[in-house]
Amino acid sequence: MPDTPVTDLPLRADLVGQQPYGAPQLDVPHLLNVNENPYSPPPEVIEDIAASVAAVGGSLNRYPDRDFRDLRADLAAYLERESAATGLTADHVWAANGSNEVMLHLLQAFGGPGRTVMSFAPTYSMYPEYARDSLTTWVAGTRREDHSLDPEATIAHIEQVRPAVVLLASPNNPTGTALPLADVHAIARACATTGPDGAATVLVIDEAYAEFRRSGTPSALTVLADYPHLAVARTMSKAFALAGARVGYLAAAPRLVDCLRIVRLPYHLSAVTQAVARAALRHTDALQAQVAQLRTERDACVSWLRERGFTVAETDANFALFGPFEDRHAVWQGLLDRGVLIRETGPQQFLRVSIGTEAEMAAFRGALKEVTGR
């Protein structure tokens, strides 16, 4: 039988004509488009992961621990070491299949029909899709020309819109811009009374790239205890080199975490996923051994691009946004033709390159010189 045309199915009206999210997945030598860690997990980590998965293999006929408290305790301990936050326990942590699912849980719990979520563009392109999928109204404010936030203008816009949720990425994607801690304080104080019916606005600081931030750039985790409506999201995809494992998490006040438990699907985090994540956390130092090297490659890439006259956003992440180009797609295609895949995203006329190994960055520089003549 032929496939039934989508037009003959009762697809939601707001989804008609929409395409699934996704960056190009192409088989090329140099993959620098989705901000992956270019280094594979070391052999000893792979061995521990394999042994940990094998250990739970005999019980896969049973549902996993639906509250995964051991993993949450391990994540809390890691966050305290990494960020200098204090007082974090399993009750302060939530996890899901990638930070995408964490964000969806947040909007399922606090968004919905008649409510609004807002952020400030340019920012992560999935945010409006979380809003759409949870039937939450999406509102996008703007940033300064250098992609930083103007705290006073940001607060004024939040007070005007009165959203249920505000999503702020720090470092921001696709620009790499970090949010100063003073701004987190100011925005969090304002959000205490700007939500629906006089409640708080849930302020989410998305720190997916936090481990790559430059020295002296603090985490919002250090002020978590001051704001019961603040949540700080993280992922194991980037610094832990576990993009294929799909583990994201957040830290927040236990009351906020309990709200997310209401909307999660039963047993949403598999026993295999829990085992992989806990094994990886036992090898944090080994998995993050190259983070400092990636910071060095990033800073070298930014300097090289600026020396050739490109405008490059200040970045605390493992990528760089650069341009402008009269025809960015032609540049993107020229790089692809030379085996280098980067990303068309963010402001028009700009491109984003993920930071790879020394050899991958050399290939990127060589291809860009050929394509642009710079």
Side-chain angles (χ1 to χ4, degrees):
M1 276 182 77
D3 292 337
T4 304
V6 172
T7 52
D8 291 346
L9 296 174
L11 185 65
R12 276 171 31 193
D14 61 313
L15 298 180
V16 173
Q18 297 291 316
Q19 297 295 320
Y21 173 88
Q25 291 184 304
L26 304 174
D27 184 14
V28 298
H30 307 292
L31 298 171
L32 302 174
N33 67 322
V34 288
N35 306 335
E36 295 162 320
N37 190 320
Y39 296 101
S40 300
E44 66 270 21
V45 181
I46 296 171
E47 290 175 7
D48 194 355
I49 288 173
S52 299
V53 171
V56 302
S59 60
L60 289 180
N61 57 310
R62 303 295 183 185
Y63 287 114
D65 174 6
R66 64 173 172 261
D67 287 321
F68 49 94
R69 292 192 60 84
D70 290 340
L71 172 57
R72 289 160 67 187
D74 289 350
L75 288 166
Y78 164 71
L79 289 177
E80 287 205 329
R81 293 194 307 272
E82 192 275 337
S83 69
T86 58
L88 294 180
T89 68
D91 291 331
H92 293 85
V93 175
W94 187 243
N97 295 284
S99 56
N100 291 297
E101 189 177 35
V102 170
M103 293 294 182
L104 194 56
H105 284 171
L106 283 160
L107 293 196
Q108 287 175 319
F110 301 110
R115 293 192 169 188
T116 300
V117 56
M118 71 181 302
S119 191
F120 294 81
T123 194
Y124 185 34
S125 57
M126 274 298 296
Y127 289 166
E129 299 206 16
Y130 304 144
R132 179 201 68 194
D133 293 349
S134 60
L135 301 178
T136 308
T137 299
W138 166 253
V139 173
T142 57
R143 292 171 174 263
R144 293 174 173 138
E145 189 174 344
D146 66 356
H147 308 303
S148 65
L149 287 178
D150 179 330
E152 292 183 2
T154 298
I155 291 168
H157 202 168
I158 291 170
E159 291 174 340
Q160 175 190 1
V161 174
R162 305 194 70 82
V165 181
V166 169
L167 302 175
L168 299 179
S170 178
N172 186 41
N173 182 9
T175 64
T177 316
L179 190 62
L181 202 57
D183 293 356
V184 175
H185 274 294
I187 296 168
R189 285 194 296 266
C191 284
T193 57
T194 56
D197 302 318
T201 295
V202 174
L203 174 62
V204 183
I205 307 298
D206 183 356
E207 293 190 343
Y209 301 93
E211 286 90 348
F212 298 99
R213 62 192 188 275
R214 287 170 288 186
S215 177
T217 304
S219 166
L221 288 163
T222 59
V223 301
L224 193 66
D226 297 334
Y227 305 105
H229 55 290
L230 173 64
V232 182
R234 291 287 188 96
T235 181
M236 296 186 76
S237 293
K238 311 302 181 181
F240 278 91
L242 284 184
R246 310 308 302 129
V247 182
Y249 59 103
L250 64 69
R255 284 181 59 206
L256 195 156
V257 171
D258 284 344
C259 294
L260 306 185
R261 293 174 62 226
I262 296 171
V263 299
R264 61 104 171 96
L265 293 173
Y267 313 106
H268 73 286
L269 212 56
S270 76
V272 171
T273 300
Q274 293 179 45
V276 169
R278 295 195 69 202
L281 286 163
R282 289 193 289 270
H283 299 274
T284 296
D285 291 343
L287 283 167
Q288 296 186 359
Q290 288 87 11
V291 167
Q293 184 175 342
L294 289 170
R295 288 196 204 104
T296 299
E297 288 291 344
R298 173 198 64 206
D299 294 343
C301 177
V302 169
S303 296
W304 184 86
L305 288 167
R306 286 175 175 165
E307 288 169 2
R308 278 145 188 82
F310 294 105
T311 298
V312 189
E314 293 290 344
T315 176
D316 278 275
N318 66 334
F319 54 80
L321 184 77
F322 67 103
F325 302 99
E326 290 186 9
D327 185 348
R328 72 171 178 179
H329 182 73
V331 176
W332 177 88
Q333 185 63 58
L335 294 174
L336 181 60
D337 292 342
R338 290 161 176 79
V340 178
L341 177 62
I342 66 171
R343 188 77 182 271
E344 288 184 274
T345 189
Q348 293 296 322
Q349 298 184 305
F350 280 76
L351 294 166
R352 190 193 69 196
V353 59
S354 305
I355 304 304
T357 64
E358 183 178 357
E360 287 172 332
M361 299 315 294
F364 162 72
R365 292 191 296 269
L368 188 64
K369 285 171 66 175
E370 290 184 12
V371 172
T372 64
R374 297 197 199 181

